[in-house]
Amino acid sequence: MSEEEKSYVFKIVVVGDGAVGKTSLIKQYTEGSFVKDYIKTIGAQFSKYIEEIEDARVKLFFWDIAGQSEFSFMRPTFYKGARAVILVFSLIDEQSFNNIKTWHEDIKKFCGNIPIVIFGNKVDLVNENELGDSKINALKDEIGFIKYYKTSAMTGKNVYDAFRCIIKELYDSVKE
Ligand code: GDP
Ligand code: MG
């Protein structure tokens, strides 16, 4: 009998305020590149990527929503069938951190209880030693996310590990 490779398909939604780095993070993870100019995402876009985990082929669809509220009518379609969430805020934009709760309301409403990983992005622009974790720890009690990473879509710092974390979580939940 031939050894057939197992394969899985996951839809992962990437949410968070506009300009926090969602599109850049996906680009860094899937293509290993970074663009400095801000190209505003219109509506939603998705990227396909194949990752190997153990002996399985994991096909990933990342959905990246525009932060702008004029696209809120697309939200049900955007969230439909999502298996996990990457919730991004920017370490240099406090409002984007405060809005995590609003994004979480959306996730609960449209997806129920699915795994969430939080990315605090643009870590290259802050002094990491001055970042406290108390606010994010307080949020953990409220939201119950799996893990928090400080990432940089620009330098690539922690991007691979952070994406792998959510993908591994999904994979472990379904593998035979
Ligand atoms: P989105 O609206 O959440 O999809 O954000 P984008 O990925 O379009 O990024 C918004 C802007 O921030 C762009 O100009 C990016 O080049 C920049 N950017 C994104 N991530 C980082 C990062 O980690 N570090 C720095 N310095 N800039 C970033
Ligand atoms: Mg975008």
Side-chain angles (χ1 to χ4, degrees):
M1 215 166 78
S2 72
E3 249 200 62
E4 208 178 299
E5 200 177 37
K6 294 187 196 82
S7 71
Y8 302 91
V9 180
F10 298 127
K11 172 178 174 178
I12 300 175
V13 293
V14 183
V15 303
D17 283 8
V20 295
K22 301 178 296 297
T23 305
S24 303
L25 284 159
I26 295 171
K27 201 170 166 61
Q28 180 60 258
Y29 177 65
T30 61
E31 298 171 22
S33 63
F34 178 75
V35 185
K36 214 160 184 142
D37 299 323
Y38 180 36
I39 302 152
K40 186 167 145 181
T41 307
I42 306 293
Q45 64 187 41
F46 71 86
S47 323
K48 195 173 106 184
Y49 190 68
I50 293 168
E51 181 71 271
E52 305 278 336
I53 295 193
E54 290 164 15
D55 61 346
R57 217 173 122 81
V58 182
K59 197 187 272 183
L60 303 158
F61 288 95
F62 294 107
W63 286 59
D64 170 9
I65 201 169
Q68 304 85 357
S69 56
E70 67 257 38
F71 295 108
S72 59
F73 72 93
M74 291 182 71
R75 299 245 158 107
T77 314
F78 175 76
Y79 284 110
K80 193 164 187 253
R83 299 291 300 274
V85 184
I86 294 173
L87 209 171
V88 187
F89 72 96
S90 161
L91 291 165
I92 57 162
D93 173 0
E94 190 163 359
Q95 190 55 42
S96 73
F97 179 82
N98 296 333
N99 283 338
I100 288 178
K101 284 180 195 161
T102 314
W103 287 106
H104 185 241
E105 292 294 313
D106 253 22
I107 296 161
K108 266 196 310 199
K109 181 168 156 199
F110 293 111
C111 308
N113 196 16
I114 63 173
I116 301 170
V117 171
I118 296 190
F119 292 15
N121 192 43
K122 307 198 185 185
V123 71
D124 58 285
L125 296 179
V126 299
N127 183 348
E128 239 189 290
N129 301 323
E130 286 170 12
L131 287 179
D133 280 341
S134 59
K135 276 168 88 182
I136 202 88
N137 288 338
L139 203 64
K140 180 135 199 169
D141 300 329
E142 227 172 291
I143 291 185
F145 55 91
I146 299 172
K147 218 165 161 175
Y148 167 57
Y149 287 91
K150 289 166 219 152
T151 59
S152 170
M154 189 173 105
T155 66
K157 186 172 184 179
N158 286 335
V159 172
Y160 181 77
D161 289 351
F163 274 86
R164 271 299 274 216
C165 169
I166 191 85
I167 295 160
K168 183 78 166 56
E169 175 76 22
L170 279 178
Y171 174 70
D172 286 343
S173 72
V174 297
K175 74 175 176 191
E176 289 140 26

